[in-house]
Amino acid sequence: MALRTTFSTLVRELNVVQNVAVRQFATEARPKQKKQVHPPRRTYLHEQYESIISNDRVMFIFQHNNLTVREFTALRQDLAQLDAPVKLTVLKSSVFNAALCNTKFANLSPLVTSGPACVFHTNISDSAHPDVLKKAMQMLNKNKKLVLLGGKIDETLLTHHDANKIVELPGLTQLQAELLGVLETPGRKLLNLLDSPAQQLHSVLDRRIE
């Protein structure tokens, strides 16, 4: 009886050891997943594009049809004459889309995959530079190799039609002044209307006193 019990115990312990060894072998045999390491250039571009998407309030995407380096340089020199912080950046589409995919502007991704692309971007305010966007877009639209595809202003996504319409609008300060004028005009008319009988009565009394 004691021999049978000892034998059963040895069998159980052998099974335990065998199971542990199998699990350990399976763990060691499983290949370790290596962390993907991107080339330094790709990492730099990804960080640059993330900054553009997150920090610049205006971002318009253009398709460029085989613009040469000289033509890009000429466009940048023209934009520099505006004396405002505006930039034209050539995109590496795959990296830019990777930067876009985790943002609220991910719907812009199809615009970049349609061909070679560049992006006009700036963080200027309407009050500081009310006409810069309009002038910049006029410069860019003159080049027949550039096609505006769409973009965003602040939190709003834009089609190319929307973008062209918005840049034609006057600056915020001018709009506020025009709105104030519209609101004040009825008040002035009402004030003149109410004041007119009093002025007429005053004139009549003055004539009678004379």
Side-chain angles (χ1 to χ4, degrees):
M1 184 69 178
L3 182 60
R4 184 182 299 174
T5 303
T6 302
F7 179 75
S8 299
T9 302
L10 288 174
V11 170
R12 286 197 300 270
E13 290 178 355
L14 182 60
N15 288 335
V16 170
V17 172
Q18 185 178 8
N19 291 335
V20 171
V22 169
R23 287 197 298 269
Q24 184 176 1
F25 175 78
T27 302
E28 293 176 353
R30 186 181 303 160
K32 295 182 179 179
Q33 294 183 349
K34 293 183 179 180
K35 184 178 180 181
Q36 187 175 8
V37 178
H38 296 293
R41 175 64 177 169
R42 182 181 178 90
T43 301
Y44 167 78
L45 289 175
H46 193 276
E47 292 175 352
Q48 180 189 23
Y49 296 158
E50 281 185 330
S51 177
I52 292 173
I53 296 166
S54 302
N55 300 328
D56 286 349
R57 58 181 300 265
V58 178
M59 184 180 75
F60 293 154
I61 299 172
F62 287 83
Q63 178 178 326
H64 68 86
N65 298 315
N66 300 318
L67 274 171
T68 64
V69 174
R70 180 177 296 180
E71 289 171 323
F72 267 115
T73 301
L75 283 171
R76 289 171 176 142
Q77 290 174 344
D78 290 341
L79 292 173
Q81 295 177 6
L82 296 175
D83 193 25
V86 298
K87 291 183 179 180
L88 186 66
T89 301
V90 179
L91 299 178
K92 187 172 180 60
S93 299
S94 60
V95 182
F96 190 77
N97 280 334
L100 271 176
C101 67
N102 293 324
T103 72
K104 64 183 73 175
F105 308 113
N107 287 342
L108 293 175
S109 179
L111 301 183
V112 185
T113 57
S114 59
C118 59
V119 60
F120 167 80
H121 55 102
T122 179
N123 202 31
I124 59 174
S125 64
D126 294 328
S127 57
H129 304 277
D131 298 323
V132 164
L133 283 184
K134 181 178 180 179
K135 293 178 180 178
M137 292 298 289
Q138 287 173 346
M139 290 179 180
L140 297 175
N141 286 331
K142 284 180 181 178
N143 193 305
K144 302 304 181 183
K145 292 185 178 181
L146 284 177
V147 179
L148 177 62
L149 302 176
K152 63 105 174 175
I153 291 183
D154 294 321
E155 305 296 316
T156 304
L157 298 181
L158 305 171
T159 66
H160 67 283
H161 292 297
D162 297 332
N164 281 322
K165 288 179 181 178
I166 286 178
V167 298
E168 292 296 327
L169 293 175
L172 182 60
T173 303
Q174 183 178 343
L175 284 175
Q176 289 173 337
E178 292 178 358
L179 179 59
L180 183 61
V182 170
L183 295 175
E184 287 182 346
T185 299
R188 291 197 191 100
K189 290 182 179 180
L190 179 60
L191 182 61
N192 291 335
L193 182 63
L194 294 175
D195 193 44
S196 180
Q199 291 178 350
Q200 293 174 359
L201 178 60
H202 188 271
S203 299
V204 170
L205 292 176
D206 283 346
R207 285 196 297 269
R208 290 198 174 187
I209 292 173
E210 292 173 357

